[in-house]
Amino acid sequence: MAHKYLVGMFDDEVPMMNAIEKVRAAGIAIHDAVTPFPVHGIDDALGAKESRLHTAGFVFGATGTAFALFCMTYISVFDWPNVFGGKPYFSLPAWIPISFELTVLFCGVGTTIVYYLRNGMSIFNDVEVYDNRLSSDRFGLIFDLESMDSGEADRVSGMLRDFGAVEIKTQEMRNRQPSMDEQAS
Amino acid sequence: MSAYTSPVREPLVTGSKTYTDISNDICKPVEDRPSLMFMIALIISASVAVMGVVCILYTIWMGIGTWNLHRTIGWGWDITNFVWWIGIGHAGTLISAILLLFRQKWRTGVNRSAEAMTIFAVMCAGLFPLIHMGRIWDAMFIFPYPNSRAGDDLLVNSLWPNFTSPLLWDVFAISTYFTISILFWYTGLVPDLALIRDRATGWRRKIYKVVSFGWTGTARQWQRFESLSLILAGLSTPLVLSVHSIVSFDFATSVIPGWHTTILPPYFVAGAVFSGFAMVLTLMLIARSVLGLKDYITMAHIESMNKVILLTGSIVGIAYTTELFMAWYSGNLYEVHQFFESRAAFGSGPYNWAYWMMMGCNVISPQIFWFKWARRNIAITFIMSIFINIGMWFERFVIIVISLSRDFMPASWATYSPTWVEIGIFVGTMGIFMTLFLIFIKVAPVVAIAEVKSILKSQGDQYLAAQAEEDKRERELGTGGSLSGAFHRDKDGI
Amino acid sequence: MSHHHSVRPALETYDFSPGVKKLSLVLMVVGAILFALGVFTNLDFPARIWTTLLHNSYYFLAIGMTAMFYVTAQTIGYSGWVVLVSRIPEAMGGSIPVMAVIFGLTLIFGVEHIYEWAKPGAIEHDLTGLIGKKQPFLSKGFFFVASAIYLVLWVVLTQWVRKNSYDHDNDEGLSRYFTAKKLSMLFLFVWAITSSTAIWHWFMSIDPHWFSTLYGWYTFCSAFVAGLAMTCLIVIHLRSNGYLKYITDEHIHDLGKWMFAFSVAWTYLWFSQFMLIWYANIPEETGYFYDRFNNYQVLFFANFVINFLFPFLLLMTARAKRNFRLVSFVAVMVLIGHWIDYYLLAFPGAIKNSHYMTSGAGGDHHSMLTMAGGGHGAGEAVQIFNFGIGFLEIGAAIMFLGLFLFLTFSALAKHSLVPVNHPFLRESADHSTHSL
């Protein structure tokens, strides 16, 4: 379903950060911010909570260690005990390398999968962009026009222009884009 | 807001670039039609690769008897090449992971291409143990999975691999390393692929739309991106140490003089980084000039890489000397024989020349990088990078072949030289590596665009010059420190 | 909004606080009393006394040396964030001359008590003939000349690096900064070689039949973690007492990262050395771990648990590295842990040697056989001594800690806490762990 957005574009991150601060202070909801590179401090300015990806990483890693040690113990001590080079069945020092590798493998693969899922990214993603230059040299603040009347939209446009936006436009998207808070859910 | 950067530092982005310039400059090689030179290089590389594949197929068809391995020297060029290629891969991970944690900002110019080299090098490396198995169609048996090799009841009667064997550790280490390197590299590549998508039209846009996974660059996406980058960097740092350590365990867990030495794990890692940087320099010195990226891979980058080469070359030098000392200090006849007669003492063994080839290329010649003029000289850097590639190949040859050639029983002493098939496979892997690298620079940005943009304000030459001016003004007002206004002095220092 | 008006920390002086001075003096006195008590109860056991002195004087000498390694390595690595911290490891380097003298005296007077190869008739007693083969390396003449060279080089170079840094405070311009880089390179070059060769002489030769190529790097890493832990503790102490107000969570976070990373690196080296020797199982190498594993089991595992699991589990998250109390706790544990590590390097060999040489009748055993449960009296004594940390060792540790703190804080009080003319000073004051 078509959906309209107000896109205010800046040519530098400094005026954009300034605008975020002022617009939020004026009580206007920012739908999203789109930048060509991670801008330092933007999470705090937008009031975005810390990512919890590292918690997932720890859980995956611990699973990997446990899985490796469990399998090697089951196989080498119970299922098919063999003496190799006079070493005991339970040869912990010799199992450290594989345990370590599986910890890393589980943690890395698991966390990356969570990352792609949470970011809503896949090769089937029929992506729409607010503006082609937002991945190159423009910093965009996005406002949801469906949730504001034309008077408020004009006020926002005026503010953005005052804070140094080089271009302000209305962009109609084929689909509704999730807001920053919805992306967090 | 970017943090304060001392103008004393040498800028890492030159030519007063804007964000627009960065996008245009780095995307250009991807968007332009391939040049004639590129096509010639690609055809040559691909031909060499095909020749290698023919040699591989010939080996698989005829058997390992097409190689000159024998009972005494059971590992020759194959494992030497395997370790050499794995080592070359290590620079990518060092640059993107360890230097990230050490806050070395110059990594942003070379990390993308070095990571790509990691992946291609690991692919070349992995070929050798697989072919060396002889029956490559049985390769899946190296993985532990419930099977019917010993009967019908899968869980009770499976045959399992030997978990105490370093060769099996290698299987896990290399496959984990390959997987994590691909994840790290590709995840970092996605925002830049999205940039190419947004600049493209027609069928190119459709392709880049698929490979960029629907990246849009929202604040949330960047937040998770940074979080994941740190996690993968944190994982890759011990991973890269573990991989070459485990490769060294293949040798060091044995009792063979020359193989069994405890310094091998860290010294293999240092050597791997050393050879990897040499390969990065060999390729990037050419690429920066051909692709017009001299403002992004500057002399400051080259000098920093040469310093890493001096450091790691000296570390392996200390390791070589430590081994010599300990061989003497151990008082063990076999150790003394291995390290002196077989290796270091000229004229007492058939392979002394290989040892001094290694010493000369890896330890002695890089000492030229104590001098700043040498570190900033393109020709010297290029020649040194070739020397080191050769020297590090000889290091592995020395460790593997010389140690095996003189074992405990003089009756089984032997020498070894490769057949044309072994040479063909090795040269072929270079073709495979180059072909993959050339394809990479044509389809993806060779410098990490988003990362360079994120350091522009703190490392761009125009910003540092402005900072120097401002510092000078502050000094005139009496509020600045003593160095205010000094611009770009590290270039002229030592 | 502009970042160009960042803070520029000014000269800051530190007065040796009466509390710290009192603490260091009390530690020295209490330590000396305990140590004296230990000496009187061990008069028939001089090897233990001299090895205690060797262990503790070297441990604190190495903490000072690795602190200087940290400073110089950061200098040639163009590190900006560390500048505000750097005066603390530089002050720790101020303890080096005194520690080096004490350590040197210990070598001169303790050599025959500590080292099997230095005892009269060692070569003839050694049935393997290995000590004879290792001449001149294991001879007193070579030992003392080499030791003197190492210690003089270490003292001269570290104090030169320090002096250059302090002189920079009164010297505008960049020349001191470039001198610092030259001196750092020179020091690191010397340290890279001598840190290994010295420890072969001073610690590895205590077990004269044993050898390991990794020994130098392993022992260096152990001392380095201890040096980082001491740096963390002193920085946090000063920060909590109102000094160094430009040092923030960000700096402690980074110091915590270093302690975390090098604890993992130490574990990697520990594992590499242990596993390779365990795996190959060559008797002349395995004996080293056999002794430590069987006769010092508690310490053997404590070493691993304290030095790996504590920092690894407690400092894993970013929040933990910003928690001053937690970082301090881990730093204290790690300091104890690496003290145990050095104990395990020195004692088992030295104690075994003293039994072998004093048992006389056991002359037909070389020491490795005695260790393996020989039962000629020596074996039993080793059993009794299997957890050999008493008044003597603890007293010496406290005494040397007090001395180290006294020397470090005296050095700290002599110069500005902030290197005001360092070109990267403002970068350090502006430091954020997020700005990669």
Side-chain angles (χ1 to χ4, degrees):
Chain A
M1 210 179 80
H3 208 95
K4 277 186 181 163
Y5 295 94
L6 181 72
V7 183
M9 297 201 285
F10 299 82
D11 61 359
D12 195 278
E13 70 274 26
V14 177
M16 180 197 63
M17 292 292 283
N18 188 25
I20 292 176
E21 196 185 321
K22 301 284 166 53
V23 167
R24 271 171 58 90
I28 298 163
I30 297 175
H31 182 72
D32 210 340
V34 180
T35 58
F37 61 85
V39 175
H40 178 51
I42 196 170
D43 300 339
D44 292 339
L46 288 168
K49 268 193 269 166
E50 213 182 313
S51 158
R52 285 175 304 162
L53 211 52
H54 47 261
T55 315
F58 181 78
V59 173
F60 283 118
T63 312
T65 323
F67 178 75
L69 286 173
F70 170 79
C71 287
M72 286 189 285
T73 309
Y74 170 73
I75 291 168
S76 306
V77 180
F78 299 104
D79 185 44
W80 198 290
N82 261 317
V83 174
F84 292 110
K87 297 284 181 274
Y89 297 141
F90 188 78
S91 272
L92 194 57
W95 293 353
I96 298 293
I98 290 180
S99 307
F100 171 79
E101 298 300 332
L102 284 191
T103 307
V104 170
L105 186 67
F106 275 51
C107 179
V109 173
T111 316
T112 310
I113 290 173
V114 170
Y115 164 83
Y116 279 97
L117 289 177
R118 303 285 288 157
N119 268 354
M121 293 161 67
S122 85
I123 52 169
F124 307 112
N125 202 334
D126 186 19
V127 65
E128 286 180 89
V129 294
Y130 296 106
D131 190 281
N132 279 338
R133 291 183 73 176
L134 289 179
S135 54
S136 174
D137 51 5
R138 290 287 180 268
F139 302 76
L141 290 185
I142 319 295
F143 299 87
D144 190 352
L145 282 178
E146 313 284 325
S147 65
M148 50 175 80
D149 55 38
S150 62
E152 202 180 351
D154 288 343
R155 190 166 74 99
V156 173
S157 300
M159 284 179 81
L160 291 174
R161 203 173 305 281
D162 290 346
F163 297 134
V166 291
E167 190 186 341
I168 296 162
K169 67 169 186 177
T170 303
Q171 178 73 20
E172 187 172 318
M173 308 285 270
R174 274 178 283 121
N175 298 303
R176 197 185 160 278
Q177 304 291 313
S179 74
M180 203 181 71
D181 290 337
E182 286 160 355
Q183 292 172 46
S185 65
Chain B
M1 304 305 104
S2 53
Y4 174 87
T5 303
S6 170
V8 168
R9 289 183 191 272
E10 191 173 352
L12 293 174
V13 182
T14 56
S16 297
K17 299 294 181 189
T18 62
Y19 294 133
T20 321
D21 295 337
I22 296 175
S23 300
N24 291 340
D25 292 351
I26 303 178
C27 289
K28 192 171 184 295
V30 182
E31 290 166 345
D32 282 356
R33 289 191 151 276
S35 65
L36 183 66
M37 223 172 87
F38 176 86
M39 290 313 291
I40 293 171
L42 186 65
I43 289 168
I44 294 173
S45 306
S47 313
V48 176
V50 168
M51 185 272 298
V53 171
V54 169
C55 290
I56 291 170
L57 292 175
Y58 181 73
T59 305
I60 294 172
W61 186 258
M62 299 294 289
I64 291 297
T66 52
W67 297 357
N68 259 350
L69 300 176
H70 47 74
R71 274 178 303 180
T72 300
I73 299 174
W75 284 356
W77 270 45
D78 50 351
I79 304 301
T80 302
N81 300 337
F82 160 69
V83 182
W84 187 72
W85 276 120
I86 283 284
I88 282 171
H90 277 49
T93 324
L94 180 102
I95 291 172
S96 40
I98 300 181
L99 295 185
L100 181 94
L101 301 176
F102 276 124
R103 305 185 188 295
Q104 297 289 326
K105 292 199 168 90
W106 55 270
R107 50 174 280 285
T108 50
V110 286
N111 58 351
R112 171 66 46 73
S113 49
E115 284 170 37
M117 286 181 216
T118 298
I119 292 162
F120 306 147
V122 174
M123 288 161 85
C124 292
L127 277 174
F128 288 98
L130 282 176
I131 310 167
H132 190 204
M133 283 176 188
R135 295 175 187 166
I136 198 169
W137 49 91
D138 283 341
M140 70 281 188
F141 285 151
I142 58 179
F143 288 104
Y145 64 95
N147 56 64
S148 55
R149 272 167 282 174
D152 298 330
D153 190 339
L154 291 188
L155 266 178
V156 178
N157 282 327
S158 293
L159 268 184
W160 303 104
N162 174 9
F163 293 108
T164 60
S165 164
L167 302 182
L168 187 69
W169 306 347
D170 251 349
V171 172
F172 281 87
I174 307 286
S175 42
T176 301
Y177 186 46
F178 186 57
T179 312
I180 300 292
S181 299
I182 284 189
L183 295 181
F184 200 4
W185 175 69
Y186 201 80
T187 304
L189 196 54
V190 161
D192 291 351
L193 294 174
L195 166 64
I196 296 182
R197 171 199 69 199
D198 291 347
R199 292 162 61 94
T201 51
W203 61 271
R204 281 174 60 87
R205 189 172 179 110
K206 288 208 177 74
I207 292 175
Y208 282 98
K209 189 173 174 175
V210 172
V211 296
S212 62
F213 280 64
W215 174 269
T216 50
T218 64
R220 278 283 174 207
Q221 287 189 336
W222 278 122
Q223 187 191 37
R224 291 199 189 95
F225 177 89
E226 289 200 291
S227 189
L228 183 70
S229 301
L230 275 179
I231 292 171
L232 290 181
L235 281 178
S236 301
T237 305
L239 178 64
V240 71
L241 262 76
S242 82
V243 171
H244 228 57
S245 299
I246 289 175
V247 170
S248 84
F249 291 160
D250 291 344
F251 310 105
T253 49
S254 72
V255 295
I256 312 278
W259 284 14
H260 178 68
T261 170
T262 50
I263 206 171
L264 225 55
Y267 134 55
F268 261 48
V269 174
V273 171
F274 181 55
S275 68
F277 267 81
M279 187 60 98
V280 170
L281 277 171
T282 309
L283 293 187
M284 291 322 286
L285 284 178
I286 300 172
R288 76 191 270 275
S289 141
V290 174
L291 304 178
L293 296 173
K294 286 182 181 171
D295 286 326
Y296 304 96
I297 303 168
T298 64
M299 283 315 294
H301 291 85
I302 292 168
E303 192 185 355
S304 294
M305 287 197 272
N306 280 334
K307 283 179 183 168
V308 175
I309 283 193
L310 175 63
L311 172 72
T312 47
S314 303
I315 290 177
V316 294
I318 288 175
Y320 296 158
T321 329
T322 301
E323 285 190 325
L324 282 182
F325 171 79
M326 285 297 168
W328 169 79
Y329 181 80
S330 73
N332 181 318
L333 186 70
Y334 302 102
E335 291 281 336
V336 172
H337 183 269
Q338 174 58 234
F339 279 94
F340 293 94
E341 267 91 338
S342 294
R343 294 190 184 181
F346 235 121
S348 51
Y351 289 119
N352 297 135
W353 61 275
Y355 183 84
W356 285 103
M357 195 78 183
M358 164 189 106
M359 270 288 190
C361 290
N362 293 348
V363 184
I364 297 164
S365 63
Q367 301 305 323
I368 195 173
F369 285 143
W370 284 100
F371 303 103
K372 194 176 187 84
W373 56 265
R375 294 196 298 264
R376 298 180 79 91
N377 182 310
I378 301 276
I380 292 178
T381 304
F382 188 75
I383 293 167
M384 281 309 307
S385 75
I386 302 286
F387 271 21
I388 294 163
N389 282 319
I390 296 171
M392 284 307 292
W393 188 89
F394 271 101
E395 181 198 290
R396 279 62 177 253
F397 182 82
V398 164
I399 292 172
I400 296 169
V401 173
I402 301 188
S403 302
L404 288 175
S405 72
R406 292 281 181 272
D407 68 4
F408 297 103
M409 203 159 56
S412 57
W413 288 5
T415 56
Y416 153 88
S417 56
T419 61
W420 64 269
V421 184
E422 290 171 89
I423 299 170
I425 295 176
F426 177 51
V427 176
T429 51
M430 290 196 206
I432 295 172
F433 181 80
M434 277 309 295
T435 308
L436 291 170
F437 188 74
L438 288 169
I439 294 172
F440 157 70
I441 60 175
K442 196 69 208 83
V443 301
V446 72
V447 172
I449 300 174
E451 288 195 55
V452 171
K453 284 177 185 164
S454 70
I455 64 156
L456 178 67
K457 289 288 183 71
S458 63
Q459 305 293 333
D461 54 354
Q462 75 273 39
Y463 294 99
L464 287 180
Q467 183 69 59
E469 282 302 312
E470 187 147 344
D471 286 4
K472 201 185 277 172
R473 265 202 308 283
E474 276 184 31
R475 181 179 194 186
E476 281 153 13
L477 290 170
T479 54
S482 61
L483 299 163
S484 304
F487 174 47
H488 200 164
R489 283 294 307 284
D490 261 332
K491 182 168 154 274
D492 316 315
I494 46 159
Chain C
M1 284 312 286
S2 167
H3 60 270
H4 298 278
H5 302 289
S6 57
V7 288
R8 186 192 301 281
L11 204 91
E12 185 178 359
T13 51
Y14 169 73
D15 297 319
F16 199 155
S17 79
V20 178
K21 193 178 264 179
K22 203 153 89 186
L23 175 75
S24 56
L25 292 172
V26 166
L27 285 174
M28 274 192 268
V29 172
V30 171
I33 293 169
L34 287 175
F35 181 69
L37 212 63
V39 169
F40 284 119
T41 51
N42 283 287
L43 281 177
D44 56 341
F45 203 175
R48 185 175 173 186
I49 299 169
W50 286 107
T51 311
T52 302
L53 285 171
L54 177 91
H55 168 214
N56 286 286
S57 57
Y58 185 74
Y59 185 59
F60 285 96
L61 172 64
I63 287 177
M65 289 303 295
T66 52
M68 291 311 292
F69 167 81
Y70 190 57
V71 173
T72 49
Q74 299 277 24
T75 301
I76 65 157
Y78 292 77
S79 177
W81 74 271
V82 84
V83 169
L84 273 169
V85 174
S86 61
R87 280 289 151 91
I88 284 84
E90 277 171 11
M92 288 160 67
S95 67
I96 291 169
V98 175
M99 289 296 175
V101 168
I102 298 175
F103 180 72
L105 291 173
T106 307
L107 292 183
I108 292 170
F109 296 106
V111 66
E112 289 192 8
H113 299 288
I114 300 168
Y115 302 101
E116 178 182 343
W117 53 264
K119 294 177 207 277
I123 296 177
E124 296 77 55
H125 278 97
D126 182 27
L127 290 189
T128 63
L130 281 171
I131 293 179
K133 273 192 188 173
K134 293 180 188 194
Q135 302 302 319
F137 191 77
L138 295 188
S139 68
K140 279 191 209 168
F142 191 86
F143 179 80
F144 282 125
V145 170
S147 301
I149 292 173
Y150 302 147
L151 291 174
V152 167
L153 276 176
W154 291 6
V155 170
V156 169
L157 288 175
T158 55
Q159 303 315 303
W160 197 1
V161 170
R162 293 180 65 233
K163 185 173 183 308
N164 179 65
S165 170
Y166 296 136
D167 286 350
H168 199 173
D169 289 354
N170 311 315
D171 182 5
E172 299 199 342
L174 282 172
S175 67
R176 293 281 171 189
Y177 164 69
F178 290 126
T179 311
K181 284 210 274 191
K182 275 183 202 150
L183 285 175
S184 299
M185 275 200 275
L186 181 64
F187 170 72
L188 289 171
F189 181 79
V190 169
W191 174 249
I193 295 165
T194 56
S195 62
S196 283
T197 51
I199 203 90
W200 296 339
H201 253 138
W202 296 335
F203 280 78
M204 196 172 80
S205 80
I206 293 174
D207 293 270
H209 301 98
W210 184 79
F211 55 90
S212 166
T213 40
L214 190 51
Y215 198 84
W217 294 356
Y218 166 74
T219 48
F220 158 69
C221 195
S222 181
F224 186 41
V225 178
L228 288 169
M230 190 64 96
T231 309
C232 283
L233 280 177
I234 298 176
V235 171
I236 290 175
H237 164 80
L238 291 173
R239 185 71 188 76
S240 311
N241 284 284
Y243 294 99
L244 295 168
K245 67 180 158 82
Y246 294 110
I247 284 190
T248 62
D249 291 2
E250 309 284 342
H251 298 86
I252 304 297
H253 185 160
D254 265 10
L255 282 173
K257 254 187 214 170
W258 275 84
M259 196 159 68
F260 175 83
F262 279 86
S263 291
V264 175
W266 172 87
T267 312
Y268 159 69
L269 295 175
W270 182 91
F271 173 74
S272 296
Q273 182 170 271
F274 172 78
M275 192 277 288
L276 289 176
I277 289 174
W278 167 83
Y279 201 111
N281 205 14
I282 298 171
E284 56 192 330
E285 289 180 12
T286 313
Y288 179 85
F289 282 113
Y290 184 93
D291 187 15
R292 281 151 183 80
F293 188 83
N294 288 298
N295 298 327
Y296 298 84
Q297 207 160 46
V298 175
L299 291 176
F300 184 85
F301 285 110
N303 183 21
F304 183 75
V305 168
I306 295 175
N307 292 329
F308 173 57
L309 290 182
F310 270 74
F312 183 73
L313 294 177
L314 293 179
L315 291 185
M316 194 185 288
T317 65
R319 200 168 298 154
K321 295 184 202 93
R322 288 162 172 266
N323 181 332
F324 286 19
R325 279 192 180 174
L326 196 56
V327 173
S328 307
F329 172 72
V330 172
V332 170
M333 292 313 290
V334 157
L335 273 171
I336 296 172
H338 287 283
W339 183 85
I340 293 175
D341 193 21
Y342 267 84
Y343 177 93
L344 285 174
L345 297 179
F347 271 80
I351 299 309
K352 202 170 60 195
N353 296 342
S354 75
H355 282 288
Y356 151 60
M357 288 311 290
T358 51
S359 60
D364 56 340
H365 282 70
H366 87 75
S367 54
M368 265 190 313
L369 300 178
T370 320
M371 171 275 306
H376 280 254
E380 287 161 39
V382 169
Q383 281 305 313
I384 294 163
F385 202 69
N386 67 355
F387 189 69
I389 294 183
F391 284 142
L392 188 74
E393 287 79 8
I394 292 171
I398 294 174
M399 182 169 71
F400 277 95
L401 176 67
L403 179 62
F404 179 85
L405 290 179
F406 184 83
L407 294 168
T408 299
F409 280 86
S410 309
L412 211 52
K414 284 193 193 114
H415 307 278
S416 167
L417 288 179
V418 174
V420 281
N421 287 330
H422 197 288
F424 298 157
L425 179 64
R426 278 174 73 180
E427 287 187 15
S428 185
D430 216 18
H431 172 53
S432 156
T433 46
H434 292 289
S435 59
L436 296 168

